[in-house]
Amino acid sequence: GSSHLKPFPGDILEFPLNKYFSHFGIYYGERDGVPYVAHLTCRDSETKLLLFGRALKSEVKLDPVEVVGRRYKVRNMLDENHPPRDFYSVVKPAIDDMMGKDITFDILFHNSEHQATLFRYGLKKSTQIEKVYVQILPTWKELFKKKKL
């Protein structure tokens, strides 16, 4: 049993992976009573992403919610500042158009959270990466200063 509210088409779903990272998708609605999520995923399911990794063969896929994860929550994290775009006239056609096209997954610049916020709000944002940035940026700045990066 999960404690999530029933999502509405266009809602962002967050699937926790571990303490630091989650996978994100857009709730697409039901087909024959099965709830589906549109999400950015590696085409080659064996591809394991390294942190700060890239995967050239990624795409937006439609999968049953349960296949992506049994634990999830609705996370429309930018609603207060950015009005969500209409699902049926904007988001769904954008998802349908993206499906099957090659997308470069980049954990820093184009991950599943970036893709989900791009669909819902029309802008790319990744709160989980911003949190990581806060942690690693001071270290990187030091290395840059010492010309080690």
Side-chain angles (χ1 to χ4, degrees):
S2 46
S3 60
H4 44 76
L5 303 163
K6 188 169 169 48
F8 290 100
D11 279 347
I12 293 177
L13 300 186
E14 177 181 6
F15 300 86
L17 297 176
N18 58 39
K19 193 169 131 187
Y20 302 103
F21 289 105
S22 294
H23 185 68
F24 292 83
I26 294 283
Y27 183 67
Y28 193 81
E30 291 188 359
R31 283 185 174 174
D32 300 322
V34 178
Y36 276 81
V37 62
H39 62 120
L40 180 63
T41 186
C42 291
R43 209 172 261 168
D44 173 6
S45 60
E46 298 307 302
T47 306
K48 291 285 174 252
L49 290 166
L50 301 169
L51 189 58
F52 308 117
R54 307 181 95 185
L56 299 176
K57 296 225 172 180
S58 296
E59 68 178 332
V60 172
K61 270 182 75 183
L62 213 50
D63 283 312
V65 171
E66 283 216 340
V67 169
V68 179
R70 290 181 182 272
R71 285 176 45 240
Y72 65 87
K73 58 188 172 209
V74 171
R75 257 217 34 173
N76 299 323
M77 65 285 263
L78 306 179
D79 277 15
E80 277 184 23
N81 301 317
H82 302 282
R85 305 187 308 168
D86 182 72
F87 179 74
Y88 294 100
S89 66
V90 181
V91 180
K92 185 179 183 293
I95 289 169
D96 294 343
D97 187 55
M98 289 290 284
M99 278 197 290
K101 292 185 178 165
D102 280 341
I103 299 168
T104 298
F105 177 105
D106 185 303
I107 198 149
L108 288 180
F109 303 108
H110 199 92
N111 63 38
S112 64
E113 187 179 7
H114 289 115
Q115 187 67 60
T117 59
L118 189 57
F119 281 140
R120 183 169 175 87
Y121 305 107
L123 69 111
K124 282 166 69 163
K125 196 158 173 68
S126 176
T127 54
Q128 61 185 346
I129 291 302
E130 286 167 13
K131 284 181 201 150
V132 171
Y133 260 165
V134 171
Q135 303 297 317
I136 61 176
L137 219 52
T139 312
W140 282 4
K141 278 184 181 165
E142 278 308 303
L143 292 170
F144 270 120
K145 278 183 196 161
K146 295 174 183 166
K147 301 207 177 357
K148 290 191 175 169
L149 229 152

